[in-house]
Amino acid sequence: MSRTDQPHGPLVDLGRERPQVPARARNLSPIVPRASIAGRALVAVVAIMTFLASITTGTVLLVSASAAEWQSEVASEITIQVRPAPGRDIDRDAAAVAEAIRAQTGIVEVRPFTREESAKLLEPWLGSGLSLDDLPVPRVIVARVQPGTTLDLAALRRRVTQVAASASVDDHRAWIERMRSMTGATVIAGLGILALVIIATIISVSFATRGAMAANRPIVEVLHFVGAGDRYIANRFLRHFLRLGLQGGVIGCGVAMLVFGFSESIAGWFSGTPVGDQFAALLGTFSLRPSGYLALAAQAVLIAAITAWASRRTLFATLDDID
Amino acid sequence: MVRFENVGLRYGLGPEILRDLNFQIPAHSFQFLTGPSGAGKTSLLKLLFLSLRPTRGLVNLFGHDVSLLGKDEIADLRKRIGIVLQDFRLLDHMTTYENVALPFRVTGREESSYRKEVIDLLKWVGLGERMDALPPILSGGEKQRAAIARAVISRPHLLLADEPTGNVDPTLGRRLLRLFIELNKSGTAVIIATHDITLMDQYEARRLVLHQGRLHIYE
Ligand SMILES: Nc1ncnc2c1ncn2[C@@H]1O[C@H](COP(=O)(O)OP(=O)(O)O)[C@@H](O)[C@H]1O
Ligand SMILES: [Mg+2]
């Protein structure tokens, strides 16, 4: 644009005064000084937000992984109860039902529980030292279904009730449905928290950017003076915010990963206690798979990108107001 | 190169401080803009630099009606204009050298391609020893010379200078005037706002005189 594009002689001729030109670069100062941006607060905010987001995502991943594990385990099993009926020998009924189930295609393993084993199952509710002879305790038979096959449940039911009218077949479907809806609720709650965290991040970053622009208004004006366009000016600021966003993201995500890494051993200390067992039941082993850690890292990068984007948006909006 | 038609300017709801301005600035021309303090010299320079918009009338710069320009186009036009304001507007966190090199730097040019030119100019305006100093420790006169060097370094098509010799002694004032004259000879149109009669007497040039909001031209 300026006439320096065309060849020309020196503007000033210093004659013998001409200085030796040093070889070293002299443009060392950044155009927007780093110290002029209140960076530490922003790094802290982004770090906290990334940490919260990582914990949320990690928990959702753990819950859905252990729920899926449960479901596949439970779905591959059916339970048959044979209830005692007046005038019938329950041991014989149980044996006949077990035979009938074995004959069904798709069943790979049948395990009838003996009287003593059935009593053991009831022990947590009824206490030990109970004589089963006094109680009409149903007999339980667990059958394992060939994975990948869909069992003809109606046929099985027919066959079972033929040999023992008091027997009932349970494929745990209702229970699985409940599990599924609980997992779904956890995922939705997680997504809700993530959305809130991201909105809070955008708001904080916009405030920080506006503050930095206000503090550096004289610089922006001078840059306008020397003919710098808004894009050039915005990029001077943006590189700071990108760095701050990445710093915060790395800190927050790193701490969250450590939490997940150590939680396994922490869970170990609590195992055996009721609380520890509850959490273990809900979250499985606490250990994220490698792909889970990868998801957390990707999320941290995403938050850094959101930081840069929010900052950029605010920069251009603010630059429109400054002349 | 610059054409004003019936231009008027007022600040807010105040009186019109510039009225019915009709003039042209030809390319390669040299002129003093003068008038008593408060006459509107600075305001007129800001109109020329597009940092003020006229409240009425037409301003045409480099063939563009400035009322139709977007921000990016204004930025591009400003790359062709050098301006020295009374408050210098140097960046305090940058050395004198970096301040003067700024117009090159924002165009993305490699530093090695202009380093020599910047250093030569700094020596010429007497800032050779102050190249690595930060503006806060420069004297008023040194800041003024740094601001002038920044305005002329990229050899703009149009140079606007507001009281450029206000803070320097007469000898240095003559040297700076010579710099402006050299710049003008190499093709830049120059407008120097001043009320320094001795400065104007040193060089035969067109005079634009602001008086009570109106402009009188003495060729
Ligand atoms: N930003 C502003 N807001 C309101 N009035 C202003 C502003 N800048 C200048 N003025 C007024 O405009 C008039 C011309 O000012 P200025 O252009 O600085 O004159 P000069 O440079 O010739 O001394 C003065 O009366 C001044 O008070
Ligand atoms: Mg003035």
Side-chain angles (χ1 to χ4, degrees), chain B residues 5-35:
Chain B
E5 283 176 21
N6 300 314
V7 170
L9 176 75
R10 63 171 86 228
Y11 286 101
L13 297 173
E16 204 164 41
I17 56 151
L18 294 174
R19 259 181 310 228
D20 299 320
L21 300 190
N22 285 291
F23 67 92
Q24 295 199 13
I25 306 288
H28 313 304
S29 60
F30 191 108
Q31 44 260 300
F32 291 109
L33 172 63
T34 183

Side-chain angles (χ1 to χ4, degrees), chain A residues 146-296:
Chain A
Q146 170 92 51
T149 58
T150 43
L151 198 62
D152 186 352
L153 211 60
L156 184 69
R157 266 200 187 109
R158 228 177 301 119
R159 201 183 288 228
V160 165
T161 43
Q162 238 165 36
V163 290
S166 64
S168 67
V169 178
D170 180 9
D171 66 344
H172 313 296
R173 184 155 297 161
W175 195 81
I176 288 174
E177 277 312 312
R178 276 232 298 279
M179 269 297 289
R180 198 168 282 159
S181 64
M182 193 205 82
T183 316
T186 311
V187 170
I188 287 173
L191 286 178
I193 293 175
L194 282 186
L196 290 179
V197 163
I198 286 173
I199 290 170
T201 308
I202 291 174
I203 293 172
S204 318
V205 169
S206 300
F207 270 111
T209 307
R210 217 162 288 158
M213 293 288 280
N216 289 298
R217 198 187 170 103
I219 295 179
V220 174
E221 284 172 354
V222 167
L223 289 174
H224 276 153
F225 265 32
V226 296
D230 281 358
R231 181 181 300 274
Y232 179 88
I233 299 171
N235 283 339
R236 296 315 103 188
F237 283 90
L238 202 56
R239 55 180 61 185
H240 288 292
F241 286 106
L242 194 61
R243 206 196 70 244
L244 295 176
L246 276 173
Q247 259 176 24
V250 165
I251 294 173
C253 181
V255 173
M257 284 181 176
L258 284 180
V259 166
F260 282 111
F262 280 118
S263 66
E264 211 169 341
S265 33
I266 294 172
W269 308 337
F270 285 102
S271 76
T273 69
V275 176
D277 289 347
Q278 280 299 314
F279 272 105
L282 188 63
L283 300 178
T285 59
F286 272 104
S287 60
L288 270 184
R289 291 178 204 153
S291 65
Y293 285 102
L294 228 84
L296 294 192

Side-chain angles (χ1 to χ4, degrees), chain B residues 21-60:
Chain B
L21 300 190
N22 285 291
F23 67 92
Q24 295 199 13
I25 306 288
H28 313 304
S29 60
F30 191 108
Q31 44 260 300
F32 291 109
L33 172 63
T34 183
S37 183
K41 301 183 290 294
T42 301
S43 304
L44 179 51
L45 292 185
K46 285 181 174 169
L47 280 175
L48 286 161
F49 192 61
L50 310 182
S51 67
L52 277 181
R53 297 296 179 106
T55 32
R56 63 186 174 89
L58 180 97
V59 174
N60 191 297

Side-chain angles (χ1 to χ4, degrees), chain B residues 50-120:
Chain B
L50 310 182
S51 67
L52 277 181
R53 297 296 179 106
T55 32
R56 63 186 174 89
L58 180 97
V59 174
N60 191 297
L61 199 59
F62 303 119
H64 301 276
D65 177 352
V66 300
S67 65
L68 303 178
L69 295 177
K71 282 203 87 180
D72 288 340
E73 292 161 306
I74 289 180
D76 280 342
L77 283 193
R78 279 180 177 164
K79 290 196 176 94
R80 302 196 223 169
I81 308 175
I83 189 165
V84 187
L85 286 182
Q86 276 165 298
D87 54 0
F88 317 133
R89 304 288 189 109
L90 299 171
L91 294 181
D92 287 348
H93 68 287
M94 288 184 169
T95 64
T96 307
Y97 171 90
E98 288 170 324
N99 267 288
V100 172
L102 201 56
F104 287 141
R105 194 170 168 185
V106 301
T107 60
R109 268 178 64 176
E110 198 58 41
E111 200 225 336
S112 55
S113 71
Y114 54 74
R115 192 182 304 149
K116 197 171 85 70
E117 213 171 326
V118 173
I119 292 173
D120 279 2

